[in-house]
Amino acid sequence: YLYVHPTNGTLDGVSYKRLNDDTFTSVTNGFYIYNSTDIYIEGVDVQYFPYYGFHANIVSKLTMRDCGFYFTCYGSACEFHYANADLFECNAAHAGAAGFGIAAGGNTSFYNCNAINCYDDGISHHDEATGIIDGGRWMYCKKGGVTPSFGSHVTVKTSRSEERRV
């Protein structure tokens, strides 16, 4: 079970403490996973966070299925640093930066995912990141739909990407 920002107390016989709201990760990110392995997340929607809706940093194995990340002010809706992840049917929209930002290293792959109406790219692998983009729609983003760059190595299979017309 995962409880995000509960009040202090006991739930289901387990004691827990609320996250410190003065820390960067609890205030600006919906979810922040750091230095972890074997994480599975399904059916989670994250909305209205100042920076990242979701941020994985140094994660050796992450699987996400049917998740949504929407309405970030400054950062990507879903951001990865040195993460090995597989995402299935996940969505990002109305991000202040990229819908899905793979900023550094790792092997992060997307299967039938979508990013729509993002301020930066729909999806962008950077700095030695690798991965697969198979299916999905990457549309109406300011800089482009699928934009791998800076030494990344990405295999793009069938997908739909369109420029935003202003």
Side-chain angles (χ1 to χ4, degrees), residues 45-99:
D45 283 347
V46 179
Q47 300 181 44
Y48 301 105
F49 275 87
Y51 216 75
Y52 303 130
F54 175 83
H55 185 193
N57 188 4
I58 310 173
V59 178
S60 61
K61 183 180 177 189
L62 168 66
T63 302
M64 299 178 81
R65 194 173 294 279
D66 191 32
C67 294
F69 309 96
Y70 312 101
F71 300 103
T72 58
C73 293
Y74 305 108
S76 298
C78 194
E79 181 82 6
F80 301 89
H81 295 145
Y82 305 105
N84 297 315
D86 292 311
L87 283 77
F88 302 89
E89 291 91 30
C90 292
N91 299 298
H94 307 287

Side-chain angles (χ1 to χ4, degrees), residues 18-144:
R18 182 181 172 108
L19 296 172
N20 179 355
D21 282 340
D22 294 331
T23 65
F24 173 79
T25 58
S26 67
V27 174
T28 60
N29 300 313
F31 282 96
Y32 179 71
I33 296 176
Y34 174 73
N35 197 21
S36 300
T37 188
D38 239 356
I39 304 291
Y40 181 84
I41 301 171
E42 183 174 359
V44 173
D45 283 347
V46 179
Q47 300 181 44
Y48 301 105
F49 275 87
Y51 216 75
Y52 303 130
F54 175 83
H55 185 193
N57 188 4
I58 310 173
V59 178
S60 61
K61 183 180 177 189
L62 168 66
T63 302
M64 299 178 81
R65 194 173 294 279
D66 191 32
C67 294
F69 309 96
Y70 312 101
F71 300 103
T72 58
C73 293
Y74 305 108
S76 298
C78 194
E79 181 82 6
F80 301 89
H81 295 145
Y82 305 105
N84 297 315
D86 292 311
L87 283 77
F88 302 89
E89 291 91 30
C90 292
N91 299 298
H94 307 287
F100 294 97
I102 303 85
N107 184 17
T108 306
S109 297
F110 298 81
Y111 303 92
N112 295 316
C113 296
N114 305 294
I116 299 171
N117 289 323
C118 299
Y119 185 76
D120 199 345
D121 310 305
I123 184 170
S124 184
H125 289 71
H126 294 263
D127 300 325
E128 307 293 324
T130 61
I132 297 169
I133 300 170
D134 188 0
R137 295 176 4 171
W138 313 92
M139 303 170 66
Y140 311 116
C141 299
K142 191 171 183 180
K143 287 188 178 177

